[in-house]
Amino acid sequence: MLKKLDLYIIKTFLGPFIFIFSILFFIFMVNIIWIQMFNLGGKGLTTWELTKLFYYLSVGVIKMVLPLTVLLASIMAFGGFGERYELAAMKAAGAPLIRIIRPLFLTSLVLAFILFLFSNFVIPDFQRKAKNMLYNIVSSKPALNFTPGQFINSLPGTTIKFDQLYGKNDELMNQIFALKKDGILERNDASGYYLITKTSEIPFTQATFENSKERVRLELAHEYADKELEIL
């Protein structure tokens, strides 16, 4: 049964706990938003899509923020007791240090158990939703992986550079130049884009860029989603 001393200690702990949790959560979320906005900003995503994605990603921040919050809130609570001489008054009243620490220790155990359940059942589901959303975004918006005027190494075994993206979803490229192992991707004004490869065993072959674009887009979507979740 909780006594007045226990309730007072827990009440003193909850104030700094809520404050510190809010500050740390805000700092971690600003970091995530900054990283994701650098990658996703200006790519034609709606405000609702960005808000939904950040909501899914924010759930994973709790497991990083909560342990640090408990530590700092405990330090602030007992620091306040010492500053107001309440800790000395408790010990003078006959309460040993273990008795004074016990309420916060039990509170920390309860929070640890809740965090365990949260990490085991809630966070994986939200991470799966975030990965699926990143995959869908990259699949439907191929421009997400490409920056005009820069050499890009996202395609396996290929380095590609282009001057401009165009089309309804920025799915078309202008002035493509790409180097592939033992081959080159170049433009043919009469027939469109061709992937020309040459090895010591295989003679020259041609295939339209449109035929391979969808496969490459799906591979990049998986790669991008996995990479972003690994960073977080």
Side-chain angles (χ1 to χ4, degrees), residues 35 130 159:
I35 295 174
T159 300

Side-chain angles (χ1 to χ4, degrees), residues 19-79:
F19 174 76
I20 294 174
F21 182 87
S22 302
I23 296 299
L24 292 179
F25 186 84
F26 174 77
I27 293 174
F28 276 77
M29 281 305 302
V30 167
N31 181 56
I32 292 177
I33 292 174
W34 181 264
I35 295 174
Q36 294 299 327
M37 287 302 294
F38 179 78
N39 296 326
L40 303 177
K43 304 297 184 179
L45 299 177
T46 64
T47 304
W48 168 248
E49 289 175 330
L50 292 174
T51 303
K52 189 176 180 180
L53 176 61
F54 292 145
Y55 169 69
Y56 290 150
L57 296 177
S58 66
V59 177
V61 174
I62 297 178
K63 67 178 181 181
M64 298 183 288
V65 171
L66 190 60
L68 187 58
T69 302
V70 172
L71 174 62
L72 295 179
S74 300
I75 293 175
M76 291 186 64
F78 278 93

Side-chain angles (χ1 to χ4, degrees), residues 186-222:
E186 62 181 21
R187 178 171 181 171
N188 185 308
D189 293 331
S191 305
Y193 293 94
Y194 288 87
L195 179 62
I196 304 175
T197 61
K198 181 181 180 181
T199 65
S200 57
E201 297 86 8
I202 304 176
F204 282 105
T205 58
Q206 297 186 5
T208 61
F209 182 68
E210 290 292 333
N211 293 338
S212 59
K213 183 176 62 176
E214 183 65 22
R215 178 184 59 82
V216 172
R217 180 187 301 174
L218 296 179
E219 291 178 357
L220 290 177
H222 280 296

